[in-house]
């Protein structure tokens, strides 16, 4: 846990250092977003479902056609499964998985247009996965034993992030509309003995406010 928090602290210190040239402290962050996401695992044992995310970001080189966007976000993604085997006489049914993570994306944003813009965004994202929680009903020899909940340890991984969107002027500020896809480079079944690999790729559709 300490290692992951140290890595996150290092990234945040580097980020804050990059913004020290900003004269107005309120400009350390100049973009906020909220999004709805939909999991995109391709495993037939698992069903995709809806989650959400939010975050605050800093855009550097704002007057350029290519911006550097970095920030701090929280994302919850969800999956479900009908059942999985625990032992020869036990299984878990009606399973829900919830992924909670802190994300630090660093992306290049390519802008097209002047006042109203469209953009493409691409870059890496460092994740501190706070927990993967599994909840379901335990069944032994056909008899229900009640609800159980298990969670994994904290760990980190890396994602690739791509997005398309539009930036529209709004009362001397800007409104952002953004569709993104996040591809995680590792599976998420840490701490569980499962018969399938649980990936956590996802699509997201969000709105933001830029000042």
């Amino acid at each position: 846990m300490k290692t992951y928090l140290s890595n996150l602290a290092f990234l945040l210190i580097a980020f804050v250092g990059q913004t020290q040239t900003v004269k107005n402290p309120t400009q350390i962050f100049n973009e906020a977003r909220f999004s709805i996401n939909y999991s995109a695992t391709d495993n037939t044992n698992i069903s995709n479902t809806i989650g959400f995310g939010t975050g605050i970001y800093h855009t550097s080189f704002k007057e350029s056609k290519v911006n550097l966007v970095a920030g701090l976000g929280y994302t919850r993604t969800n999956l479900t499964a009908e059942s999985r085997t625990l032992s020869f006489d036990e299984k878990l049914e009606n399973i829900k998985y919830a992924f909670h993570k802190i994300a630090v994306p660093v992306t290049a944003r390519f802008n097209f247009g002047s006042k109203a813009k469209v953009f493409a965004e691409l870059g890496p994202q460092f994740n501190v996965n706070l927990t993967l929680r599994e909840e379901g009903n335990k069944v032994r020899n056909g008899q229900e034993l009640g609800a159980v909940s298990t969670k994994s340890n904290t760990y980190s991984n890396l994602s690739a992030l791509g997005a398309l969107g539009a930036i529209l002027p709004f009362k001397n500020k800007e409104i952002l509309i953004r569709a993104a896809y996040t591809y995680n480079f590792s599976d998420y079944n840490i701490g569980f003995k499962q018969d399938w690999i649980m990936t956590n790729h996802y699509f997201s559709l969000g709105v933001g406010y830029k000042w």
Side-chain angles (χ1 to χ4, degrees):
M1 178 68 173
K2 291 182 179 179
T3 301
Y4 306 126
L5 293 178
S6 297
N7 291 337
L8 181 58
F10 173 79
L11 289 174
L12 290 177
I13 290 170
F15 169 71
V16 172
Q18 187 270 334
T19 64
Q20 289 304 302
T21 56
V22 179
K23 295 181 180 180
N24 186 349
T26 62
Q27 293 301 303
I28 291 179
F29 295 105
N30 51 25
E31 181 175 320
R33 293 185 226 135
F34 177 82
S35 63
I36 299 296
N37 61 57
Y38 187 77
S39 300
T41 183
D42 57 0
N43 194 303
T44 57
N45 293 313
I46 302 171
S47 298
N48 299 307
T49 186
I50 295 172
F52 68 93
T54 187
I56 50 176
Y57 308 89
H58 178 81
T59 302
S60 301
F61 315 113
K62 291 179 67 175
E63 304 304 320
S64 173
K65 291 293 185 181
V66 181
N67 310 141
L68 177 65
V69 184
L72 180 65
Y74 165 79
T75 300
R76 170 172 171 159
T77 51
N78 300 302
L79 295 168
T80 62
E82 289 187 3
S83 66
R84 74 176 180 89
T85 300
L86 300 176
S87 64
F88 73 94
D89 63 348
E90 287 185 346
K91 63 180 179 178
L92 203 61
E93 296 183 338
N94 302 319
I95 309 169
K96 296 180 181 179
Y97 295 101
F99 302 82
H100 302 269
K101 71 180 179 183
I102 299 295
V104 180
V106 181
T107 60
R109 179 179 289 168
F110 303 88
N111 298 291
F112 305 92
S114 53
K115 291 184 178 181
K117 307 172 188 175
V118 295
F119 67 85
E121 204 171 310
L122 185 66
Q125 177 173 282
F126 177 80
N127 307 303
V128 175
N129 299 282
L130 302 175
T131 182
L132 161 54
R133 183 175 294 277
E134 178 188 57
E135 297 178 343
N137 296 319
K138 182 181 285 190
V139 177
R140 179 185 298 155
N141 294 325
Q143 181 179 359
E144 291 192 7
L145 302 180
V148 295
S149 178
T150 310
K151 66 178 182 179
S152 70
N153 297 322
T154 300
Y155 60 102
S156 62
N157 72 343
L158 190 67
S159 303
L161 174 64
L164 296 172
I167 299 173
L168 308 173
F170 177 75
K171 295 182 178 180
N172 297 322
K173 308 298 181 183
E174 293 175 313
I175 296 294
L176 178 144
I177 302 170
R178 181 176 179 272
Y181 178 72
T182 302
Y183 180 92
N184 288 288
F185 290 111
S186 61
D187 62 67
Y188 282 73
N189 63 352
I190 294 176
F192 304 131
K193 296 179 180 180
Q194 295 166 295
D195 298 328
W196 58 77
I197 293 176
M198 183 182 299
T199 57
N200 189 33
H201 317 314
Y202 57 91
F203 296 97
S204 60
L205 179 62
V207 294
Y209 181 70
K210 294 173 58 64
W211 60 91

